[in-house]
Amino acid sequence: MAWDTAATQRHLLDAGARQFAAHGLAGARMDRIGTDAGVNKERVYQYFGNKQGLFDAVLADRLADLLSGAGVPERGPEGIGKYAGEMFDYFNGHTDLARLLAWESLELSEDAGTPARAASCAAHVRAVADAMPGLSVQQAGHLLLSIVALCASWWTLTRVTNMIVPTATSESRRTELMLQCEAMARTYSVT
């Protein structure tokens, strides 16, 4: 029987996402990743080179899915608000992603998987710029970064969230996030 390389790689990416989200790059262990994936840990080395290579691949995989999962923003501030809500929904369905992004910032001196991720991010910056006529590419980049940061904070700043808005629910946070992102986009609107 032939070995299903694609399925094994997918299992390792998913197991890596779970383990890195829970323990970070430094705390994740290759044997736990292999056990979680249901394969020998040597497959990580075979397909990804080392733990850092797997971490880079996990981040590239998850970030590409995030930006495509949120779709393309509709035109105008309301479209940006809706886009933020869709991104929040994606994070909600993939709660490991916010933690992975936080671990990357905490543990790495350079971005993981830069070329593929940079191209994906640039495409989404252009989509935000297209959704907001008169918005420069640099402004669109800042707006997209704000949206991602606001969405991710629900899963990475849970303790401070509990102190500031102890009655917040995921649904109420999504609603407020959409309103806030729409308001941010309005600051760029040409009247």
Side-chain angles (χ1 to χ4, degrees):
M1 181 166 90
W3 188 262
D4 189 344
T5 301
T8 301
Q9 288 175 339
R10 172 53 41 203
H11 291 309
L12 286 168
L13 286 169
D14 292 343
R18 287 187 294 274
Q19 293 298 318
F20 292 133
H23 307 287
L25 177 61
R29 299 287 174 254
M30 297 296 269
D31 56 335
R32 285 194 307 234
I33 292 169
T35 299
D36 188 339
V39 299
N40 187 306
K41 71 179 181 182
E42 296 304 318
R43 295 286 177 185
V44 175
Y45 298 106
Q46 180 181 359
Y47 297 132
F48 301 101
N50 56 31
K51 186 166 63 166
Q52 176 72 52
L54 176 60
F55 188 77
D56 292 354
V58 165
L59 279 171
D61 179 63
R62 295 305 201 255
L63 186 60
D65 289 347
L66 165 68
L67 294 174
S68 63
V72 176
E74 296 174 10
R75 290 182 68 85
E78 297 84 7
I80 294 296
K82 183 179 175 187
Y83 177 71
E86 291 168 355
M87 187 173 291
F88 185 88
D89 293 343
Y90 187 85
F91 270 107
N92 196 36
H94 303 84
T95 56
D96 61 351
L97 180 58
R99 292 181 56 89
L100 290 167
L101 294 173
W103 281 116
E104 175 190 30
S105 294
L106 290 168
E107 293 188 305
L108 301 182
S109 59
E110 295 181 15
D111 303 333
T114 302
R117 288 178 58 197
S120 176
C121 289
H124 285 276
V125 168
R126 284 190 301 279
V128 169
D130 290 345
M132 293 293 300
L135 195 66
S136 73
V137 172
Q138 183 170 348
Q139 290 169 322
H142 283 288
L143 182 56
L144 179 59
L145 175 60
S146 294
I147 293 167
V148 171
L150 287 169
C151 288
S153 69
W154 182 251
W155 291 274
T156 58
L157 300 175
T158 54
R159 300 302 167 246
V160 75
T161 298
N162 292 338
M163 288 183 268
I164 295 171
V165 282
T167 61
T169 64
S170 186
E171 183 178 310
S172 70
R173 180 63 191 143
R174 182 186 191 277
T175 299
E176 291 299 323
L177 173 81
M178 289 176 63
L179 291 170
Q180 291 165 357
C181 291
E182 182 178 329
M184 279 191 300
R186 282 194 193 291
T187 66
Y188 293 112
S189 291
V190 177
T191 54

